[in-house]
Amino acid sequence: MGFFDRPLSVLTGLALVCSLAVPAAAEPASRLDEIVQRGSLRVGMTGDYKPFTYLDKATAKFSGFDVDMAESLGKAMGVKVEFVPTSWPQLMKDFEADKFDVAMGGVSITLDRQKKGFFSTPIMREGKTPIARCTDTAKYQTLSDIDKPGTRVVVNPGGTNERFARANIKAADIRVHTDNVTIFDEIAKGDADLMMTDASETRYQQKLHPGVLCAVHPEKPFDFSEKAYWLQRDVALKAFVDQWLHISTENGSYQAIYKNWFD
């Protein structure tokens, strides 16, 4: 009797034996499972973007809105938070190298970043707007007001601020200042005329430099953008972070953290 002449019941039995003899491939663990098993959430942060994130180099401690949010996320996951220093020019490379599970600290949603990972539900809507010395705000109301020979626009390298400036400024002078913590002092002391950055940052820096630096129409920025948390590409991780954000918004914990840093 040939193999194909065997009764169907025999063939079925042979197939069952074969399936039992070869173990099924184990389901790959999700990034969320890895984080929980590891016991730590690795958070990439530049540490130079107040009030979202600031690294005190003397103490090696991070502080800021997204630092508090990261700690809240870690608590929700039941893991500790490990902050991984990065920089805006290096952020994409570090993300691709899997140096952290999530990037936080005032990260804007971009399509280039979306290609590499997932974004959480947006946490903030805003856009680019100028900040200048208070005596000069009337001079820099529009992009055409700014883009004139002799205007000195200061930018920090590697992020969306520099990208926006280079896309829109052709006649004015663009000056790169590598320290995003001290960059606003360049405007205050007269070494630069203005910076175009996220409206939330202009409001915060206005509070830090009362009567010296003023945000220029932060309620009507030049463009549209949103901030969110940039996640390694894992459906389970995104679902958890989105649910945590939803619950945090509904129970008031998000608003409490926001008020501590922005109001």
Side-chain angles (χ1 to χ4, degrees):
M1 180 185 295
F3 182 83
F4 291 102
D5 296 323
R6 296 174 185 270
L8 181 60
S9 59
V10 175
L11 296 178
T12 304
L14 286 172
L16 178 61
V17 170
C18 291
S19 67
L20 292 174
V22 180
E27 282 290 322
S30 70
R31 174 69 60 136
L32 179 61
D33 292 333
E34 291 177 12
I35 293 168
V36 173
Q37 291 169 7
R38 187 197 309 142
S40 65
L41 173 68
R42 300 172 305 157
V43 178
M45 280 197 168
T46 63
D48 64 353
Y49 188 8
K50 293 180 178 179
F52 294 96
T53 174
Y54 173 67
L55 174 62
D56 186 330
K57 295 180 180 178
T59 63
K61 297 290 186 182
F62 283 90
S63 61
F65 170 77
D66 274 337
V67 176
D68 290 350
M69 289 295 287
E71 293 290 357
S72 173
L73 176 57
K75 184 178 180 181
M77 288 182 169
V79 300
K80 67 179 181 179
V81 176
E82 175 188 349
F83 292 106
V84 181
T86 184
S87 65
W88 295 113
Q90 192 67 24
L91 182 63
M92 180 74 79
K93 291 180 180 178
D94 287 347
F95 186 90
E96 291 181 293
D98 196 15
K99 291 188 177 181
F100 36 79
D101 305 300
V102 53
M104 301 174 71
V107 178
S108 296
I109 296 175
T110 69
L111 294 179
D112 286 341
R113 290 168 180 166
Q114 183 75 54
K115 292 176 185 177
K116 306 296 183 180
F118 288 156
F119 276 104
S120 70
T121 301
I123 63 165
M124 197 173 295
R125 175 174 177 160
E126 55 181 1
K128 303 299 181 188
T129 202
I131 182 168
R133 289 180 295 279
C134 294
T135 53
D136 293 338
T137 55
K139 295 166 56 178
Y140 305 122
Q141 293 292 308
T142 67
L143 285 170
S144 59
D145 290 339
I146 295 167
D147 194 20
K148 294 178 179 178
T151 303
R152 300 164 300 169
V153 179
V154 65
V155 299
N156 57 311
T160 57
N161 289 339
E162 182 181 18
R163 197 173 309 148
F164 180 85
R166 295 198 182 280
N168 292 279
I169 299 302
K170 306 303 177 184
D173 179 25
I174 296 177
R175 302 183 177 187
V176 177
H177 186 77
T178 57
D179 186 355
N180 202 34
V181 175
T182 62
I183 194 168
F184 296 96
D185 296 333
E186 296 295 294
I187 306 169
K189 65 186 181 182
D191 289 343
D193 295 313
L194 71 132
M195 178 179 179
M196 291 180 289
T197 185
D198 296 320
S200 58
E201 186 174 34
T202 65
R203 289 188 177 102
Y204 183 76
Q205 290 297 330
Q206 179 178 262
K207 287 174 60 177
L208 293 184
H209 301 82
V212 179
L213 298 183
C214 286
V216 181
H217 53 62
E219 72 288 349
K220 293 182 179 179
F222 290 141
D223 67 351
F224 160 79
S225 68
E226 291 178 315
K227 295 193 183 302
Y229 300 137
W230 191 21
L231 309 161
Q232 295 289 348
R233 191 180 285 129
D234 181 75
V235 174
L237 178 59
K238 174 174 168 53
F240 185 94
V241 173
D242 285 347
Q243 188 63 49
W244 160 73
L245 281 170
H246 173 67
I247 292 172
S248 298
T249 302
E250 292 299 318
N251 67 19
S253 58
Y254 171 88
Q255 289 85 347
I257 295 174
Y258 183 94
K259 184 176 181 180
N260 190 42
W261 290 100
F262 289 98
D263 289 349

